[in-house]
Amino acid sequence: MPNHTDNSHAASAHYSPRLCNEDLAPTQDKNWTWYNIFSFWMSDVHSMGGYMVAASFFTLGLASWQVLLCLLVGICIVQLCANLVAKPSQIAGVPYAVVCRQAFGVFGANIPAVIRGLIAFAWYGIQTYLAANALMLVLLKFFPGLATLTHSSWLGLSALGWCCFGVMWLLQAMVFWHGMNAIKRFIDVAGPAVYIVMLALAGWIVYKTGFSGLSLTLASKSLSGGEQTWQMITATALVVSYFSGPLLNFGDFARYGKSMGEIRRGNRWGLPFNFLLFSLVTVVIVSGTQSLFGHMITDPIETVSRVGNDLAVAIGLLTMITATIGINIVANFVSPAFDFSNCSPQKISFRAGGMIAAVGSVLLTPWNLFHSPELIHYTLDVLGAFIGPLFGILLADFYLIKRSQISVDDLFDATPKGRYWYRGGFNPKAIAALLPAVAIGVAISFTPALHEVASFSWFIGVALGLGFYRFLARHEREVITQVKPVRASVTE
């Protein structure tokens, strides 16, 4: 479970047990520095998915400077949003699910918490499957006889596949089970380790092909001016959409930050600087594969497997596995742990919440989901349609309505006297803003004529959620600005 040392029972003894346990209570253990935040983003970026996304931008037919501009603008948007969403959690010391109580009500917060938890549900399984697939390649390379275990399958996965999936499932659970300090130590190592392998792989590529075999533009097609502009806008949106999941629950980690200054510094180094450097190394590797093997390889696992040296292959693939475990824990394990715990604090602990997601991910048989590209495309669009409005409503409530004030005690007050009680613990205005914003986003995602617009579902959702809620709650802002902050409010 998360490590709480001083927030203890004295500070939260008067909090409602319906809303609080030791995992959700405000933490006093704020010891994460900028490097820990930097490592968090490295774990998000340095994954197989991040590699493929970065490589794909260089195949759009754009000039290298255009691609780099898209990456920079997109990741700077992510950085800005990360700083905004981090503030309420950092100053109050509470996770995303608890912060949601300010906008949705102390019980209404279960709506955004469950939505984020279910999203992590699916992606936890998919990332575990990707790591298991890499492990299977390692085993087959060193123990070819295991190939007989791949001939039959059950529920769409071979016997060896099940074994590898089980191993990866257990490894991730072990790291998670030891709490946030163990997770912090793990991601501090996982992100930098991938850089070592990536730089070594890039060096091997350059050694084999020479600099003349490299190109920053990996596509041969030519685009008109209008097509280039549209591709640049789309690429920028895809960068933000890719990080929208961990961005929404960034507060789960920002709560442990020493200060907002440390968090902003970590975001600055972990996002613009780190993402651009990672993208450049990625394109060196991908462009080199085209010269070396005769066709472009965007799958890092396949590239590593072709190195030739067995030891190098093993180290490379195991490092990729480590990186995938890192992003899976920070993006898809910690979030549902807090989110599901928020639904019933006395019955579901941080550990129990995470294990619910872990078990549920197996029941979804994610390898079947992953093998359907059309379904994955719709899934990404629909997820953006849900995540965007939630993000917009939270920002509108904290910055525009509450004026950056948060009453910590009232986040755990389950009585009508609480500031975030609203109506029976639910804020009708937040729910009324969420429903149409999500409905419009989902409708866009499933309308063939709006296929290209669906790539911007996150941006559309943010705008709609923020706009609807700002309008519905406009009178509350006028009242709040006329009174002094309540005794328990926290401001920066």
Side-chain angles (χ1 to χ4, degrees):
M1 68 185 75
N3 298 283
H4 298 301
T5 54
D6 297 3
N7 63 327
S8 58
H9 306 287
S12 58
H14 58 291
Y15 291 164
S16 170
R18 300 172 65 189
L19 299 173
C20 187
N21 59 28
E22 64 175 339
D23 304 319
L24 300 176
T27 181
Q28 301 300 317
D29 192 18
K30 297 185 177 183
N31 57 6
W32 282 41
T33 65
W34 72 270
Y35 179 78
N36 301 128
I37 301 298
F38 170 57
S39 297
F40 165 84
W41 288 117
M42 277 202 293
S43 293
D44 273 345
V45 171
H46 302 178
S47 65
M48 287 177 277
Y51 181 99
M52 294 178 184
V53 168
S56 68
F57 293 148
F58 288 88
T59 67
L60 296 176
L62 299 173
S64 57
W65 70 268
Q66 292 173 316
V67 175
L68 293 176
L69 180 61
C70 295
L71 293 173
L72 182 60
V73 173
I75 209 66
C76 284
I77 294 174
V78 175
Q79 179 193 4
L80 173 63
C81 293
N83 288 337
L84 291 174
V85 80
K87 187 175 180 180
S89 286
Q90 195 282 324
I91 61 179
V94 296
Y96 155 79
V98 176
V99 167
C100 287
R101 297 173 184 176
Q102 187 179 31
F104 286 86
V106 290
F107 297 129
N110 288 331
I111 297 172
V114 168
I115 289 174
R116 180 64 184 96
L118 292 177
I119 289 171
F121 222 72
W123 284 110
Y124 176 80
I126 291 174
Q127 291 281 9
T128 302
Y129 165 68
L130 291 175
N133 199 40
L135 177 60
M136 187 163 63
L137 286 176
V138 174
L139 293 176
L140 289 174
K141 188 169 185 67
F142 286 92
F143 307 99
L146 293 176
T148 56
L149 296 178
T150 63
H151 296 159
S152 59
S153 65
W154 181 64
L155 296 178
L157 199 61
S158 68
L160 183 59
W162 274 108
C163 292
C164 292
F165 188 89
V167 169
M168 299 313 304
W169 192 93
L170 286 173
L171 286 176
Q172 292 173 124
M174 287 172 60
V175 175
F176 168 80
W177 196 260
H178 285 81
M180 289 301 295
N181 275 343
I183 293 172
K184 181 179 73 170
R185 290 193 296 270
F186 184 85
I187 63 177
D188 283 349
V189 174
V194 176
Y195 253 136
I196 295 174
V197 171
M198 292 284 287
L199 289 172
L201 188 57
W204 178 78
I205 290 284
V206 172
Y207 172 76
K208 289 289 186 179
T209 65
F211 288 102
S212 60
L214 305 179
S215 172
L216 286 177
T217 303
L218 304 181
S220 57
K221 58 185 177 182
S222 59
L223 303 175
S224 66
E227 289 174 331
Q228 289 182 22
T229 301
W230 178 251
Q231 289 283 27
M232 290 179 67
I233 294 173
T234 302
T236 302
L238 286 174
V239 173
V240 182
S241 296
Y242 178 76
F243 290 101
S244 63
L247 183 61
L248 182 63
N249 69 290
F250 181 54
D252 292 343
F253 302 89
R255 68 185 296 211
Y256 300 105
K258 286 186 174 182
S259 66
M260 276 305 301
E262 290 283 322
I263 291 174
R264 293 189 186 101
R265 185 183 177 192
N267 288 342
R268 183 169 59 251
W269 284 101
L271 288 168
F273 175 81
N274 176 54
F275 190 59
L276 284 176
L277 180 58
F278 182 79
S279 299
L280 287 172
V281 174
T282 296
V283 78
V284 168
I285 296 173
V286 176
S287 64
T289 61
Q290 189 165 4
S291 301
L292 196 58
F293 304 115
H295 65 281
M296 191 186 306
I297 301 175
T298 58
D299 185 345
I301 294 178
E302 183 180 351
T303 303
V304 172
S305 67
R306 295 195 180 197
V307 169
N309 182 288
D310 288 347
L311 179 60
V313 170
I315 293 174
L317 290 176
L318 289 174
T319 305
M320 290 292 182
I321 291 170
T322 301
T324 302
I325 291 176
I327 187 176
N328 218 13
I329 290 176
V330 301
N332 302 317
F333 216 143
V334 172
S335 175
F338 285 124
D339 295 337
F340 292 136
S341 179
N342 186 74
C343 296
S344 183
Q346 296 306 303
K347 296 180 180 179
I348 304 177
S349 64
F350 175 79
R351 285 175 173 172
M355 296 312 295
I356 288 173
V359 173
S361 69
V362 180
L363 299 178
L364 284 176
T365 61
W367 44 89
N368 292 322
L369 177 66
F370 186 74
H371 282 309
S372 174
E374 184 180 33
L375 183 57
I376 288 179
H377 171 76
Y378 281 117
T379 299
L380 288 172
D381 292 341
V382 171
L383 294 186
F386 278 93
I387 294 176
L390 290 175
F391 193 86
I393 290 171
L394 292 178
L395 292 190
D397 182 76
F398 182 72
Y399 289 99
L400 302 181
I401 305 301
K402 302 299 194 303
R403 304 298 297 276
S404 299
Q405 300 177 33
I406 183 167
S407 177
V408 179
D409 287 355
D410 286 317
L411 292 172
F412 300 92
D413 190 343
T415 69
K417 295 181 180 179
R419 189 176 178 184
Y420 309 127
W421 177 255
Y422 298 106
R423 294 183 186 176
F426 295 80
N427 183 2
K429 294 176 181 178
I431 298 173
L434 177 66
L435 293 178
V438 169
I440 293 172
V442 172
I444 291 174
S445 299
F446 286 97
T447 302
L450 299 176
H451 173 73
E452 292 189 350
V453 180
S455 300
F456 301 89
S457 59
W458 185 85
F459 288 90
I460 294 171
V462 171
L464 291 175
L466 189 150
F468 288 157
Y469 185 75
R470 174 68 181 85
F471 175 76
L472 293 172
R474 62 192 184 282
H475 297 302
E476 292 184 14
R477 179 180 184 274
E478 294 173 1
V479 172
I480 291 173
T481 56
Q482 294 172 3
V483 299
K484 295 181 179 179
V486 296
R487 177 184 58 82
S489 67
V490 181
T491 59
E492 185 188 35

